[in-house]
């Protein structure tokens, strides 16, 4: 009897939808499943606004100061190369990646929707020349850049939601600083971009695969949103 009482108590904690589902299973009824919608390419709508994913919406709301521990942005930060870097070549490489990866041209509008920008101005990498500084001051400047880029919250409706910066340490050493807001990227995407940077820096004309992306991130999010709204 004690076990039966515990089961009844646990049932009472379930949501109405889960209670209904449990009743169907107990009665031996077949429980319907949502049909996964087909991912539909919509190139003519690629640059139209579209919904945020649940995770990104939570991050977007976390930027507001209406919540305890709010006014925070989720960002990924990395540093590349402590060796001589041709910044002109790297700038061209990066602009190629911005053209290739549409979410590097993404913003989150003030109404809480994504939008991929069809055209953006050529990005120029800012350079901090630290070569004339003494080692202590140079290290302090590098740490200040790291702290600012890792924590700074840029307006999400203004492109770009990432930053690339170079620090000239001496005549043979350049450090590249990169950060990206997780509203338009994730850790895996950042890793993919890192691999493409390494490949293109060795060979600027190297082919990247796939050559182009026929399906937009917008297409994926629309399909996901349709799936979530489909009745069981």
């Amino acid at each position: 009897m004690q076990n039966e009482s515990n089961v009844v108590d646990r049932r009472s904690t379930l949501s109405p939808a889960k209670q209904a589902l449990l009743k169907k299973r107990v009665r031996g009824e077949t429980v319907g499943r949502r049909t996964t919608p087909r991912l539909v390419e919509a190139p003519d709508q690629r640059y139209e606004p579209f919904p945020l994913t649940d995770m990104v919406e939570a991050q977007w709301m976390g930027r507001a100061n209406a919540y305890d521990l709010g006014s925070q942005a989720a960002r990924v930060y990395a540093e590349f190369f402590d060796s001589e870097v041709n910044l002109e070549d790297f700038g061209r490489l990066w602009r190629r990646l911005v053209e290739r990866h549409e979410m590097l041209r993404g913003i989150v509008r003030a109404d809480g929707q994504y939008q991929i920008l069809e055209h953006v101005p050529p990005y120029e990498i800012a350079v901090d020349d630290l070569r004339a500084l003494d080692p202590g001051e140079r290290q302090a400047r590098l740490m200040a850049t790291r702290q600012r880029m890792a924590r700074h919250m840029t307006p999400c409706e203004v492109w770009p939601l990432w930053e690339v910066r170079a620090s000239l340490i001496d005549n043979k050493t350049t450090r590249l600083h990169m950060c990206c807001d997780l509203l338009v990227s994730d850790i895996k995407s950042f890793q993919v971009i890192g691999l493409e940077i390494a490949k293109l820096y060795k060979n600027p004309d190297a082919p990247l695969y796939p050559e182009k992306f026929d399906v937009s991130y917008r297409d994926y999010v629309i399909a996901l949103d349709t799936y979530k709204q489909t009745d069981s």
Side-chain angles (χ1 to χ4, degrees):
M1 294 295 293
Q2 182 66 35
N3 288 342
E4 185 176 340
S5 175
N6 289 341
V7 170
V8 172
D9 289 342
R10 292 185 63 185
R11 284 180 181 175
S12 66
T13 66
L14 298 176
S15 68
K18 287 186 177 179
Q19 290 188 39
L21 179 62
L22 180 60
K23 287 179 181 178
K24 285 185 178 182
R25 291 192 181 280
V26 169
R27 291 197 299 263
E29 298 179 13
T30 301
V31 179
R33 294 184 177 180
R34 290 179 291 183
T35 302
T36 303
R38 185 167 58 91
L39 188 59
V40 179
E41 296 177 28
D44 56 324
Q45 300 175 30
R46 184 180 291 256
Y47 306 111
E48 295 297 318
F50 59 102
L52 304 179
T53 63
D54 292 343
M55 176 66 76
V56 171
E57 185 172 20
Q59 293 173 356
W60 178 68
M61 292 178 66
R63 287 168 155 258
N65 59 10
Y67 305 96
D68 291 340
L69 303 179
S71 299
Q72 300 290 327
R75 296 167 73 81
V76 59
Y77 173 83
E79 295 178 1
F80 300 92
F81 302 111
D82 267 322
S83 58
E84 191 172 1
V85 177
N86 186 316
L87 290 176
E88 187 175 337
D89 288 346
F90 192 87
R92 282 195 293 268
L93 173 163
W94 183 251
R95 287 189 287 273
R96 177 179 173 183
L97 293 180
V98 171
E99 182 178 354
R100 170 176 170 79
H101 294 285
E102 62 184 12
M103 287 308 291
L104 290 178
R105 306 190 309 276
I107 60 170
V108 176
R109 294 157 39 116
D111 62 0
Q113 294 191 89
Y114 269 133
Q115 187 164 20
I116 298 166
L117 304 179
E118 184 174 5
H119 302 292
V120 294
Y123 187 78
E124 298 294 336
I125 298 173
V127 178
D128 295 323
D129 191 346
L130 312 180
R131 291 175 293 183
L133 303 181
D134 63 63
E137 188 176 358
R138 183 185 304 120
Q139 185 62 24
R141 288 280 296 275
L142 289 170
M143 288 299 298
T145 296
R146 178 183 298 172
Q147 292 295 323
R148 180 191 64 78
M149 291 181 65
R151 298 180 179 180
H152 182 60
M153 186 169 67
T154 55
C156 59
E157 65 274 15
V158 178
W159 182 86
L161 293 183
W162 44 262
E163 183 181 358
V164 181
R165 196 173 194 91
S167 294
L168 305 182
I169 297 175
D170 57 40
N171 290 333
K172 292 186 177 180
T173 310
T174 300
R175 185 174 302 181
L176 287 168
H177 312 262
M178 300 183 68
C179 66
C180 186
D181 200 303
L182 294 182
L183 292 175
V184 294
S185 183
D186 57 25
I187 301 299
K188 182 61 178 178
S189 300
F190 206 68
Q191 291 172 343
V192 169
I193 289 172
L195 292 173
E196 292 184 345
I197 287 173
K199 184 174 185 178
L200 292 176
Y201 195 76
K202 291 179 180 178
N203 178 10
D205 298 320
L208 297 175
Y209 301 100
E211 214 171 282
K212 65 175 183 175
F213 301 97
D214 294 323
V215 175
S216 170
Y217 183 63
R218 183 184 189 278
D219 300 333
Y220 164 76
V221 172
I222 293 296
L224 180 64
D225 198 52
T226 301
Y227 175 77
K228 290 190 297 183
Q229 294 180 34
T230 302
D231 292 333
S232 299

